[in-house]
Every structure is written in C-alpha cells, then in structure tokens.
Amino acid sequence: MRILIVEDEKRLADFLVKGLHELGHITDVARDGVEGRRLALGGEYDLLILDVMLPGVDGFSILESVRKAAGDCAQVPVLMLTARDGVDDRVRGLESGADDYLVKPFAVSELFARVGALSRRATSKHGGVASTTLRLADLEVDLLARRATRGEQRLDLTGKEFALLLVLLRRRGQILTRTTIAEQVWDMQFDSQTNVVEVAIRRLRSKLDDPFDLKLLHTERGMGYVLEDRS
C-alpha cells in the first residue's frame, strides 16, 4: 500500500516508516497538519495514519476535510493516533469518519496488525478479495510470508532486496529513477556520489535474473530501472 503518515513526533514517524517499508509498503510523511492535509487531499493513498495533536491543523480537521473531499480520497481508510485516552476524543474521531483509533503509547505490532486489517477491509468494500500475492511471468511474491519464488525455486533475498523487489514489482513496467528507488527503499535523499542503488540492483539481479533464461530486471541507460516481462 501507499500510506501517508501525519505525525509530528519525529522518532515515532521514523520508526513507523522503517517498519512499514520492511512490510513492503510505500510511505510519505508530513510533520504538521497543514502539509498533512495538502498531501492527503492531493495524493493517491491507500491509507492515512493520522495523529490528532498536530501543529497548524489538528487531525480532526484533516479527517473532516478528507471525508468532505470529492473523488477517491474521501473513501481512504484512516487510522487515528492520539495520546489522549478520553472517550470523547475517540467518539469524535469515529463519528468524523475514522476507521480505527489507537491510543499512545501502543505496541507497533498492534498498529501493523490494524494496518493489515484496514487494507483487507478497504479491498472488500470495493468488491474484491485482498490479494497477498504479486506475480510477473514466473515470479511470485507472497506478501504475508515475505517469500519470493521463480517457478519452484525460492529466492534467498535480504530485507532490503525484498523491499527493492516490491517497489519495482508494484510499479512494473515503469522506469524508476535512482532517486525514486533511494527514497522508497532507504527513505533517504539520493546522493549522486554514492552507488548504493547500483549495488543493490546488481545483488538483486544476481538472484532474480542470473539463474534464469527470462530476464525481468532491465536497465534503461540514463534513466533508471524497470521490472517487466519482455518475452
């Protein structure tokens, strides 16, 4: 999923980004309510993780703006976070259109479980069945088991290699620049003096493509990398 986190506590936001990336999700972060509302209304997100107490504009105001908006963003699932354990706050959030509510401090594993539940619920509302498997040619990635295979052969991938594969696979057929890959996989600004992306691509290719006749990971010189079946 593509997830927007609106959270002004930097340590918490960074921790959530790291964990969600490891689960294969793409994340954007806003540190204040004004930026959070702008991104929520302008972006195409599958889930919002929204803190209540924010500088500029509070989480309730963002939620109300999202629910009143036109288009698909009005239907996006919203998980509210708050340090206040008052019943009134929870009732207000749910009545304003929040799908779930989590009180700080919370176990991160519980948040991840709720993210998964909201994902399945949203997919069901659209009349589908939540898919936990991505496929391209003979490549199959099981998101729940965090396992990738080609044919009957399992690919022995590290955590970063798996995250890199997911970014490429979710946007199959699209050329991704080194900057985009660095931001999505390592959550960092790309430094043209480093070769971290090239090294990671080379290691992934050695496991994903080298043992097989059909090559899926392609380099577009001067542009970036693309995952697609060109057979």
Side-chain angles (χ1 to χ4, degrees):
M1 291 192 298
R2 187 179 178 202
I3 299 173
L4 174 63
I5 302 169
V6 188
E7 172 61 66
D8 62 325
E9 294 182 33
K10 186 177 186 305
R11 288 185 62 187
L12 175 57
D14 291 346
F15 192 70
L16 293 180
V17 166
K18 183 176 184 296
L20 291 168
H21 277 188
E22 290 174 351
L23 292 174
H25 301 297
I26 297 171
T27 59
D28 291 329
V29 177
R31 308 288 185 184
D32 61 69
V34 175
E35 178 70 1
R37 182 167 60 187
R38 184 186 70 80
L39 289 175
L41 295 176
E44 297 180 357
Y45 294 101
D46 302 303
L47 173 68
L48 304 183
I49 299 177
L50 184 59
D51 189 24
V52 170
M53 301 297 292
L54 293 164
V57 177
D58 67 24
F60 292 131
S61 298
I62 297 174
L63 175 62
E64 290 168 2
S65 296
V66 167
R67 290 297 180 241
K68 291 177 182 177
D72 292 339
C73 81
Q75 306 299 320
V76 64
V78 176
L79 171 59
M80 301 288 288
L81 307 178
T82 183
R84 302 187 300 193
D85 193 16
V87 173
D88 290 344
D89 283 339
R90 282 181 284 172
V91 169
R92 180 182 174 186
L94 294 172
E95 287 184 343
S96 297
D99 295 272
D100 204 349
Y101 210 99
L102 199 54
V103 177
K104 301 176 182 177
F106 51 82
V108 176
S109 58
E110 181 181 2
L111 182 140
F112 292 160
R114 295 192 183 204
V115 166
L118 288 173
S119 172
R120 292 189 293 273
R121 190 186 311 170
T123 308
S124 178
K125 283 182 181 179
H126 286 85
V129 177
S131 174
T132 61
T133 304
L134 299 176
R135 295 182 178 87
L136 175 65
D138 61 345
L139 170 65
E140 181 174 302
V141 176
D142 186 324
L143 301 178
L144 292 181
R146 293 184 61 78
R147 181 176 63 240
T149 58
R150 287 202 63 176
E152 299 298 321
Q153 183 173 330
R154 180 168 180 171
L155 307 181
D156 184 19
L157 304 178
T158 66
K160 285 300 183 188
E161 289 165 354
F162 188 83
L164 174 57
L165 176 59
L166 280 184
V167 167
L168 291 163
L169 186 54
R170 290 183 189 279
R171 298 173 69 175
R172 71 196 73 179
Q174 299 180 38
I175 300 173
L176 302 185
T177 66
R178 293 185 295 168
T179 300
T180 298
I181 292 171
E183 289 176 347
Q184 298 297 335
V185 179
W186 287 272
D187 189 36
M188 68 177 192
Q189 296 298 315
F190 180 68
D191 182 353
S192 61
Q193 300 302 312
T194 68
N195 65 343
V196 61
V197 174
E198 289 86 344
V199 170
I201 288 286
R202 185 163 58 248
R203 290 175 176 170
L204 176 60
R205 182 177 277 137
S206 71
K207 300 175 182 182
L208 174 69
D209 275 350
D210 288 356
F212 306 96
D213 293 332
L214 177 61
K215 309 305 179 185
L216 299 176
L217 180 52
H218 307 279
T219 301
E220 296 293 335
R221 294 190 181 278
M223 293 188 288
Y225 305 94
V226 58
L227 192 72
E228 62 181 352
D229 180 1
R230 295 182 174 179
S231 61

